[in-house]
Each structure stands twice: as C-alpha cells, then as structure tokens.
Amino acid sequence: MTSALLAGLGLGLSLIVAIGAQNAYILQVGVRGRGIAPVVAVCIASDVALICAGVAGLGAAVSGRPAVLEAVKWAGTVVLIGYGLRSLWAARRADGLTAGGNTAGSVAAVITAALALTWLNPHVYLDTVLLLGSASTRYGTDRWWFAAGAVIASIAWFGLLGFGARRLAGTLGRPAVWRALNAGIGVLLLVLAARLATLPLGG
C-alpha cells in the first residue's frame, strides 16, 4: 500500500511539474489574481477524473482508437496557437495585467480557457490516462493507492503553483515583468503547438 502510494506520488510529480500549457496558464492566472481558485479547482478535478479513468483501464481503450487521438491532437494544436497568440498580443500592452477588469465574464473566460487547455491537450491524456494508468497495473489490487498518490501530487502542485503565483503577484505583476511573462508563455504555447502538430499519435 505505502509503496504504491509513494510510487504514484513520485511519478505524478515528475509528470505534472514539467512546464506545459496548463502550468503556464495557471501561473498567468495566479499573477493576475482573478479566478485562480476556480481554475485550480478545475485543473485538480480534471486531473483526478483522468487519473481515475487511466487506472480503471481507459488508457488501453483510447490507445486503440487512433482517430480519436488525432482529432484531439489537432483541436489541441488550434487551442494552443490561439492562446499563444493571445499571450503575445497581451505582452504588447503596458497595462496587460489589468486589462478586462474584474468581471464575472472574465472569471468565466479563465475557467473556459483552463478547461480547453486541459481537455484539448493530448499531453494531459498521455501523462494521466496512458502513463499513470499503465504504471498502476504493476500494483495489482493496490493500484488505487497508486492513483491516490498521483492525486495528492496533483492537488499539491496546482495549489502551490496557483496560490504561490498569487502571493508573488506584487513582483511578477510589475508591467515589465508581466510583459516578459506573457511573451515567454506565448512563445512556449506556440512551441508546444508545433511539437503537438508533429506528434504521431494516430500512427
């Protein structure tokens, strides 16, 4: 039980801490300070659902449907390009951090973006459903303890990243730093889109 829990925690952290579209977006929202709690909650809930699906055996079913993976791949590529360009555009604004105001619509928008960058990102499926799901089979009846470890990793990382960025908003939210952060995130998302577009998921 303990070994399975720790193995899930370790593998979960090793996969989730890597810089990616989801982490970059949480960092961005955390610095902006608008909607970070629901965004963190959405990312955690999504990860829990995907981890449980992978441990339950969905990974094997999905890997046998290349057409589904290809469809998600191209949808994800379009989403990454869109948000990457939006971040680069925001980097041109001196007041990019406060643009848009603190409205319910803005909160709904950041939640929608978090859902898109999670559920339309094939890398999330590869990490949670396929890799974690496959690794859990080594532990037999203890595989749900493995899943619990991965869930703990998700909760800890997303909470630390989102609310940590919120606490550092005074430093990271300075106009020059914010422009650099937006520019870096925009470039990262476009690079991820290019890598995703060339990823042979359906082969």
Side-chain angles (χ1 to χ4, degrees):
M1 179 185 79
T2 302
S3 62
L5 182 71
L6 293 177
L9 178 64
L11 182 57
L13 283 173
S14 69
L15 293 173
I16 200 172
V17 169
I19 295 299
Q22 194 181 44
N23 285 343
Y25 186 69
I26 291 174
L27 179 62
Q28 201 175 39
V29 175
V31 173
R32 195 161 52 226
R34 183 172 62 248
I36 186 58
V39 165
V40 167
V42 162
C43 291
I44 289 174
S46 298
D47 249 28
V48 171
L50 290 167
I51 289 168
C52 290
V55 172
L58 181 62
V62 172
S63 62
R65 296 179 178 273
V68 174
L69 291 176
E70 282 292 327
V72 175
K73 164 184 164 177
W74 290 111
T77 298
V78 172
V79 168
L80 290 175
I81 290 172
Y83 284 111
L85 293 176
R86 190 175 75 168
S87 289
L88 290 177
W89 180 260
R92 300 175 67 251
R93 296 177 56 98
D95 61 341
L97 182 62
T98 57
N102 187 16
T103 66
S106 297
V107 173
V110 297
I111 293 173
T112 300
L115 288 169
L117 290 171
T118 299
W119 291 94
L120 290 178
N121 183 356
H123 285 291
V124 172
Y125 294 95
L126 290 173
D127 288 348
T128 56
V129 177
L130 298 178
L131 292 180
L132 287 172
S134 298
S136 71
T137 60
R138 305 174 195 170
Y139 297 94
T141 56
D142 283 341
R143 71 185 186 281
W144 290 108
W145 287 106
F146 179 92
V151 166
I152 291 171
S154 176
I155 293 171
W157 174 249
F158 285 137
L160 178 65
L161 182 64
F163 295 109
R166 181 68 187 96
R167 291 183 64 85
L168 293 173
T171 299
L172 297 177
R174 294 171 183 169
V177 176
W178 181 248
R179 287 195 297 270
L181 180 64
N182 265 331
I185 289 173
V187 171
L188 171 64
L189 293 179
L190 293 179
V191 170
L192 290 173
R195 290 178 57 189
L196 181 58
T198 58
L199 193 64
L201 295 178

